[in-house]
Amino acid sequence: MSKRPGWLDNAVFYEIYPQSFKDTDGDGIGNISGITEKLSYIKELGCTALWLNPCFESPFGDAGYDVSDYCRVAQRYGTNDDLVRLFDEAHKLGMHVLLDLVPGHTSWEHPWFKESMKAERNEFTDRYIWTDSIWEEPAGYGSLRGISDRDGSCLVNFFTHQPALNYGFYKPQRPWQQPMDSPGALATREAMKDVMRFWLSRGCDGFRVDMAGSLVKNDEDCKGTIALWQDVRAFLDEEYPGAAMVSEWGEPSQSLAGGFHMDFLLHFGPSHYNDLFRSEHPFFMGEGDASAFVSKYMDSYERSGRRGLICIPSGNHDMDRLARHIKGERRRLAFAFLLSMPGAPYIYYGDEIGMNYVEGLTSKEGGYGRTGSRSPMQWDGSANAGFSDAPADKLYIPLDPSPGRPTAEAQLQDEASLYSEVKRLIAVRQAHRALQSLGEIVFVSDGAPGKPLAYIRSLGGERIFIAVNPTDKPCALTVDGELGEIIYSLGNGAEADGRQCVIAGCSAAFINLK
Ligand code: GLC
């Protein structure tokens, strides 16, 4: 088993959508220097690491998830040197930076694809997945057809302009479906290792890997994809053992077996993550049911939790903002949960101040419904909320127009703000190893209708009981151990006596256990 980089043991991540974080050159789009300038804000909140969405050259048909040069920072964000400076400055603050690796597909403008479209065989002919004839469309996949001299349809992974790179088929069924160990598939894999080498050798601390579970095709149980990532793991163990890897996979029993250190629970896939924050009756609004989530979580945890970290994000650039569904005080309860669970928590920029989903926006760069979660960070009360000096109509995405929109500046000065609560929660987590990535978890209450979520976290000799109750009613719980000092409390907190605890409605408490 590979070694986990030590800094993941207490990591708290902050996800940055670079377009919308901070613009320092007045063009209305965020840039790398802006992120560097705001590192102290992120550090002050208590986060220890960043994940940046793709910041590479791209025609931006999918906000940069359509890469046209993996090794060059997009001009609008600055230069490669700016990114290296960000790594250096982050390291000086004891922080780490993950880049977004998009190994499954490129933009159709990538030079590899242009070569691959040619009729004559060349080095890139097998870099993508093509059928043998334009008249055959790949069953079960979308395809790109009729724009190449080459006869064939090219598989696409997501949008039509994102041709799928060739990592082979686990079970080839048609003559054009190459096996995983074919020269073309292996060459793609090696090319992606070179991309990783390029950034790791310049100070990047690892990668968030886009659509990591779908690289090998006709791979129902992901056996081929797991084997592929195990090979990447061997390469990293050999050359960059300090690199941290987190997958967009959503099935930890597979991804962690593939050698990822972390996997996300996502708004799609089997995790029931949406039951908590984004369903019609989300658990954290006090009216839902978290029990299917807990049961799937514990299954994943028992199967893989010792191998790696299951990471629960507050949100991300693909899903509705937390604040769209979870209102008022209950947002704090959501953070009390997120920041007391095992694995590394991920906070999506702006969620710490309760930034809203901006309704009714026109799609930007392939964002569609996701655009409302990608609006500019609200720094202060100045023009454009301090995001940019550009005229308001030049901003990448319009700001939240609501008059009472939250700002970082106001919340930093207010002890009672969501920001201050999140900061306190991170500080409590950082003060107790049992609450951090590796502390074990046992559930006491699974959030079935009308019930709180309650669990015991433990590591070494330390045991902490946590109860988070978004329902309106108090709830009595019996705990395996003697309840002691209350180390954190929200709302009306809890009353504890011996093994008995009553957690008040719309409240949370973290209590030492003897
Ligand atoms: C992932 C990204 C998403 C992107 C898609 C295609 O799901 O998070 O933003 O559109 O992959 O790359």
Side-chain angles (χ1 to χ4, degrees):
M1 195 168 85
S2 70
K3 252 184 87 92
R4 189 175 18 239
W7 60 269
L8 291 182
D9 292 1
N10 69 343
V12 179
F13 282 85
Y14 192 86
E15 177 191 346
I16 294 181
Y17 187 73
Q19 288 89 318
S20 296
F21 198 56
K22 174 70 187 170
D23 169 24
T24 58
D25 59 10
D27 64 358
I29 301 180
N31 52 16
I32 304 287
S33 302
I35 299 172
T36 309
E37 191 183 298
K38 292 296 186 183
L39 277 175
S40 54
Y41 167 82
I42 302 163
K43 165 108 183 160
E44 179 70 21
L45 177 63
C47 291
T48 62
L50 311 182
W51 152 32
L52 309 189
N53 293 116
C55 52
F56 315 109
E57 279 298 352
S58 163
F60 294 104
D62 184 13
Y65 282 96
D66 46 335
V67 178
S68 58
D69 185 343
Y70 286 104
C71 297
R72 187 178 295 270
V73 167
Q75 210 181 349
R76 71 188 201 181
Y77 300 130
T79 62
N80 283 13
D81 287 345
D82 291 337
L83 186 53
V84 171
R85 203 168 310 121
L86 170 61
F87 299 150
D88 292 345
E89 293 302 317
H91 294 160
K92 281 186 204 156
L93 294 172
M95 299 169 80
H96 294 87
V97 183
L98 305 188
L99 295 177
D100 210 315
L101 182 74
V102 190
H105 48 266
T106 66
S107 158
W108 58 11
E109 291 188 15
H110 196 292
W112 294 347
F113 190 63
K114 291 188 176 154
E115 288 299 307
S116 197
M117 282 198 293
K118 290 184 176 162
E120 318 78 55
R121 263 203 84 78
N122 62 54
E123 189 188 340
F124 301 99
T125 300
D126 296 329
R127 181 60 47 99
Y128 298 81
I129 308 174
W130 294 84
T131 64
D132 287 335
S133 152
I134 189 81
W135 310 120
E136 176 167 357
E137 292 182 65
Y141 297 92
S143 65
L144 222 175
R145 305 171 65 231
I147 64 163
S148 60
D149 290 340
R150 167 184 189 155
D151 189 6
S153 308
C154 185
L155 257 75
V156 298
N157 255 358
F158 196 70
F159 290 145
T160 312
H161 53 73
Q162 289 163 314
L165 286 160
N166 175 28
Y167 295 91
F169 284 70
Y170 188 60
K171 287 186 194 143
Q173 281 160 352
R174 302 279 303 134
W176 51 266
Q177 299 187 346
Q178 303 181 354
M180 286 177 66
D181 60 358
S182 61
L186 290 176
T188 308
R189 197 191 290 192
E190 292 312 308
M192 213 40 71
K193 289 180 189 167
D194 282 343
V195 172
M196 298 171 82
R197 283 186 183 99
F198 182 89
W199 289 114
L200 290 169
S201 69
R202 283 163 178 75
C204 153
D205 298 294
F207 299 95
R208 175 267 187 187
V209 179
D210 188 68
M211 294 179 64
S214 64
L215 297 193
V216 177
K217 310 300 183 194
N218 285 3
D219 186 22
E220 216 186 318
D221 301 324
C222 289
K223 290 202 178 99
T225 305
I226 292 169
L228 182 150
W229 284 112
Q230 285 169 342
D231 172 60
V232 175
R233 163 67 27 228
F235 140 68
L236 289 171
D237 282 349
E238 173 83 21
E239 295 183 33
Y240 292 98
M245 299 290 285
V246 56
S247 51
E248 185 199 32
W249 195 313
E251 186 49 285
S253 61
Q254 296 176 341
S255 52
L256 302 179
F260 281 96
H261 302 113
M262 305 174 264
D263 189 24
F264 287 117
L265 300 188
L266 296 161
H267 54 302
F268 58 87
S271 72
H272 288 271
Y273 168 82
N274 281 349
D275 299 359
L276 302 180
F277 307 116
R278 288 170 180 83
S279 62
E280 205 183 325
H281 297 291
F283 173 77
F284 277 98
M285 276 311 286
E287 52 197 25
D289 180 354
S291 60
F293 168 85
V294 170
S295 129
K296 175 66 188 168
Y297 181 90
M298 284 315 288
D299 179 58
S300 301
Y301 182 77
E302 269 146 25
R303 288 207 277 161
S304 54
R306 268 163 246 284
R307 208 186 256 145
L309 310 182
I310 301 173
C311 298
I312 313 180
S314 71
N316 71 24
H317 61 289
D318 291 330
M319 47 177 129
D320 285 0
R321 284 261 182 205
L322 185 72
R324 192 182 201 192
H325 303 278
I326 310 297
K327 307 289 180 190
E329 292 304 296
R330 289 187 164 87
R331 282 180 200 155
R332 295 167 195 251
L333 297 182
F335 276 103
F337 163 77
L338 288 164
L339 291 164
S340 62
M341 285 292 284
Y346 279 70
I347 298 175
Y348 183 51
Y349 83 96
D351 280 353
E352 74 281 13
I353 57 169
M355 264 175 65
N356 261 311
Y357 178 90
V358 183
E359 307 285 343
L361 292 178
T362 304
S363 175
K364 181 75 178 181
E365 295 185 344
Y368 302 98
R370 305 175 293 184
T371 307
S373 298
R374 301 175 173 185
S375 64
M377 176 68 181
Q378 295 151 202
W379 291 107
D380 56 38
S382 68
N384 295 330
F387 162 66
S388 166
D389 293 335
D393 64 348
K394 290 278 178 304
L395 299 190
Y396 170 76
I397 288 174
L399 274 153
D400 176 1
S402 52
R405 68 184 174 213
T407 68
E409 187 188 42
Q411 294 209 5
L412 269 155
Q413 291 160 9
D414 178 3
E415 278 291 299
S417 66
L418 179 62
Y419 167 93
S420 297
E421 201 67 62
V422 172
K423 183 172 168 173
R424 272 192 291 278
L425 277 160
I426 297 177
V428 174
R429 183 179 178 96
Q430 297 303 31
H432 297 276
R433 287 189 61 225
L435 295 178
Q436 297 168 12
S437 310
L438 305 179
E440 291 190 18
I441 184 165
V442 174
F443 276 89
V444 175
S445 172
D446 68 356
K451 299 278 177 215
L453 275 174
Y455 36 96
I456 296 170
R457 300 287 319 276
S458 57
L459 191 70
E462 189 178 37
R463 290 175 83 212
I464 299 173
F465 170 69
I466 290 135
V468 183
N469 184 13
T471 76
D472 285 328
K473 299 205 172 59
C475 183
L477 297 161
T478 304
V479 187
D480 177 18
E482 191 79 11
L483 290 157
E485 188 200 352
I486 298 184
I487 57 172
Y488 174 80
S489 156
L490 198 54
N492 292 323
E495 279 176 21
D497 185 13
R499 291 166 169 267
Q500 307 299 319
C501 160
V502 178
I503 176 79
C506 199
S507 297
F510 299 2
I511 310 176
N512 274 334
L513 255 189
K514 286 173 232 152

